[in-house]
């Protein structure tokens, strides 16, 4: 039995009590958006960090600071912590999760989170619908949360065979209410895609910053960094623990990406060293064309 | 004897005839800016590409399409071509360069351009003051030119021992009239700095795009690329020939940067492979902190 009317209008349904575990940029923005669109009734906030909770309360992101026991009141529970905290959070939640409640997450990698969920949730696994909003910023914490973060963004759901279609539909409507487009993928495809187009850019951007620091006169050099540098390194400022967890939980895909990049890098270095300008120009042209095509492609 | 009043007010001086060789983003924007600020009298445009010249004329970037013989009329000659074209352009200019005229360039690398200038200009070398505006875009051609491109940007001059201080001052005032801040460096330092903070980001961004194309399902993956990808790869769309020339003319510095990056990349790969999360988090934290410090530093 559903507590939600089978109405296709995203505005028409309501989550009486929403619990958000982790009230930073991602969880906080979701709470703000669902409140603004009248979807969430009461929003409970949980976090290991009392300062973040207090801030989230002050900013109107949550209505009440809650403990895990309060999960019994929740109709939807969103886990918005770094991947490494998910196991402990699931363990703390599961004794209090109502049979009708939907549990979801917002982690950037899905296979490891699903493995953890299977281990911890046991026969409650059908209540967990994994999710990943393709939105973020180089800022973090509740003060970075914004109600519009998910507008015109994509959200990937990687439902499990055990999920009731009604639960997946509910999560779809929740994200659509935030202005997002929802897409269904299997978890392995998801992790491969995002290793390539999200995790690798972050890895390379951060590694470039690190290699710059590793050299002489980094301070002098940084004084002359311009707008290309600004954009290229923006993501390197992202939350280190969150990204450490993403790389580590998507290790196999990342190692494959890194190995391929290392091969391309060594090839390009040799072309430069041997002054093979024709081949060098060819790969630069292919890269530029692909980037322009992407910019101009309708999505 | 100077044809320019020794007035420190940038608005008060005038370049009767400015010649711009290469009327794309960089040269075109300079011409537009100097015209807008009333500094340039007549602007002559030269290019190997008649379509670009016609476009530049239509857009009011230049007043007249000119040939190399017309350089005799010019008080200031700006060479705004890719590095690989500089030698041929200097050879074509030198027979027509008036003894009072200032010759400058806008190339992103300086040592190789200076070596070419010494070879081609001979005893006229003192008339050449090398320059490099730290401004650009991923677009190119006269249609990309904008009068405001150089506002609040840095311009590096790397004067030669043979330059008369009056020529360096004139070039300084020219760039200041465009709203730029001028900084003097020696050419070797310049090339080392910009290999690090400008050329490497472009190289890595383009190489990342290339390695993405090199893998399976590139089209599928690109459909899910988000805002991090957008910023990280923006510079990869830059003009391939210009960048080929930059990398090639700054080869020694680039090879040094690439080698250091390869070392850092292999270290990071090993940390990930061996699941050394502590050391992995440490470098991510150092990178994020450096990027945040840069963003917040007063420049």
């Amino acid at each position: 039995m559903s507590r939600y009317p089978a109405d296709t209008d995203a505005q028409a349904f309501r989550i009486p009590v929403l619990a958000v575990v982790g009230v930073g940029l991602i969880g906080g923005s979701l709470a703000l958006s669902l409140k603004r669109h009248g979807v969430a009734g009461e929003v409970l906030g949980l976090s290991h960090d009392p300062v973040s909770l207090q801030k989230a309360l002050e900013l109107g992101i949550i209505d009440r600071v809650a403990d895990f026991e309060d999960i019994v009141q929740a109709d939807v529970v969103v886990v918005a912590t770094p991947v490494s905290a998910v196991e402990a959070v699931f363990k703390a939640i599961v004794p209090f999760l109502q049979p009708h409640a939907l549990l979801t997450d917002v982690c950037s990698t899905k296979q490891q989170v699903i493995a953890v969920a299977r281990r911890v949730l046991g026969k409650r696994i059908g209540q967990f619908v994994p999710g990943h909003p393709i939105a973020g910023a180089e800022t973090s914490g509740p003060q970075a949360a914004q109600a519009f973060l998910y507008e015109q963004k994509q959200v990937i759901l990687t439902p499990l065979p055990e999920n009731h279609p009604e639960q997946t539909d509910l999560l779809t409507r929740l994200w659509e209410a935030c202005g997002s487009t929802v897409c269904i993928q299997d978890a392995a495809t998801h992790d491969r895609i995002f290793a390539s187009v999200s995790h690798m850019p972050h890895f390379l951007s951060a590694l470039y910053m690190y290699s710059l620091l590793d050299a002489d006169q980094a301070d002098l050099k940084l004084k002359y960094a311009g707008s290309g540098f600004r954009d290229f390194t923006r993501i390197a400022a992202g939350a280190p623990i969150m990204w450490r967890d993403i790389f580590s939980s998507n290790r196999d895909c990342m190692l494959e990406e890194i190995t391929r990049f290392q091969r391309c890098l060594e090839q390009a270095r040799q072309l430069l060293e041997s002054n093979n300008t024709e081949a060098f120009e060819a790969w630069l042209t292919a890269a530029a064309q692909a980037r322009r095509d992407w910019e101009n492609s309708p999505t």
Side-chain angles (χ1 to χ4, degrees), chain A:
Chain A
M1 290 291 290
S2 172
R3 291 179 63 179
Y4 309 97
D7 190 329
T8 55
D9 178 5
Q11 302 301 317
F13 88 104
R14 199 169 160 80
I15 298 162
V17 179
L18 171 75
V20 180
V21 187
V23 291
L25 170 69
I26 300 298
S29 295
L30 179 59
L32 278 179
S33 179
L34 291 176
K35 289 180 82 167
R36 173 181 290 260
H37 291 100
V39 170
E42 193 179 20
V43 177
L44 311 183
L46 292 85
S47 171
H48 73 288
D49 177 12
V51 177
S52 286
L53 280 175
Q54 191 52 42
K55 192 79 194 166
L57 200 58
E58 282 167 27
L59 292 169
I61 293 171
I62 60 174
D63 299 307
R64 186 151 58 90
V65 169
D67 292 318
F68 284 109
E69 301 94 82
D70 301 314
I71 291 292
V72 293
Q73 301 162 40
D75 302 290
V76 172
V77 181
V78 179
V79 177
T81 65
V83 179
S84 60
V86 166
E87 178 155 6
V89 168
F90 279 179
K91 281 181 177 161
I93 284 173
V94 72
F96 305 106
L97 194 67
Q98 290 282 1
H100 80 276
L102 169 69
L103 176 63
T104 189
D105 76 316
V106 295
C107 292
S108 301
T109 62
K110 301 270 58 98
Q111 290 176 102
Q112 182 171 317
V113 170
I114 290 170
V116 166
R118 289 198 182 283
R119 202 160 61 234
V120 176
L121 301 177
K123 59 185 181 182
R124 314 291 291 273
I125 186 69
Q127 289 178 251
F128 174 60
V129 185
H132 174 208
I134 314 306
E138 68 282 18
T139 51
S140 54
Q143 61 284 355
Q146 34 184 313
F148 301 107
L149 186 66
Y150 301 115
E151 287 192 7
Q152 298 189 293
K153 299 289 164 63
Q154 296 187 93
V155 175
I156 316 295
L157 306 185
T158 62
L160 309 177
E162 295 90 338
N163 291 148
H164 195 288
E166 193 181 72
Q167 297 279 52
T168 306
D169 289 349
L170 171 64
L171 190 57
T172 300
R173 291 169 68 192
L174 179 155
W175 281 111
E176 285 176 352
C178 299
S180 301
T181 304
V182 171
C183 171
I184 305 287
Q185 280 174 0
D186 72 278
T189 303
H190 170 279
D191 287 359
R192 210 166 51 243
I193 289 174
F194 289 92
S196 180
V197 295
S198 167
H199 310 164
M200 267 303 273
H202 190 96
F203 182 82
L204 292 173
S205 179
L207 198 62
Y208 162 75
M209 276 307 298
Y210 185 74
S211 83
L212 199 158
L213 297 175
D214 196 43
D216 294 338
Q217 299 187 294
D219 288 346
L220 173 69
K221 291 170 179 170
L222 284 167
K223 282 174 71 170
Y224 296 99
S227 59
F229 173 93
R230 177 180 301 277
D231 284 359
F232 180 78
T233 58
R234 181 180 64 80
I235 48 180
I241 292 178
M242 185 185 84
W243 282 101
R244 175 203 68 187
D245 286 1
I246 290 173
F247 297 141
S248 145
S249 65
N250 204 10
R251 184 182 299 118
D252 291 348
C253 294
M254 281 302 292
L255 289 173
E256 200 178 303
E257 293 289 329
I258 292 168
T259 302
R260 193 175 55 252
F261 187 83
Q262 284 182 311
R263 195 177 60 236
C264 292
L265 179 56
E266 178 56 24
Q267 282 167 358
R269 196 188 62 75
Q270 286 176 16
L271 292 180
L272 183 62
E273 204 160 27
S274 62
N275 206 20
N276 187 338
T277 48
E278 207 168 309
F280 204 85
E281 184 186 332
W283 78 257
L284 282 172
T285 302
Q289 195 55 53
R291 179 56 174 78
R292 291 173 193 177
D293 290 347
W294 177 80
E295 188 80 42
N296 298 325
S297 65
T299 43

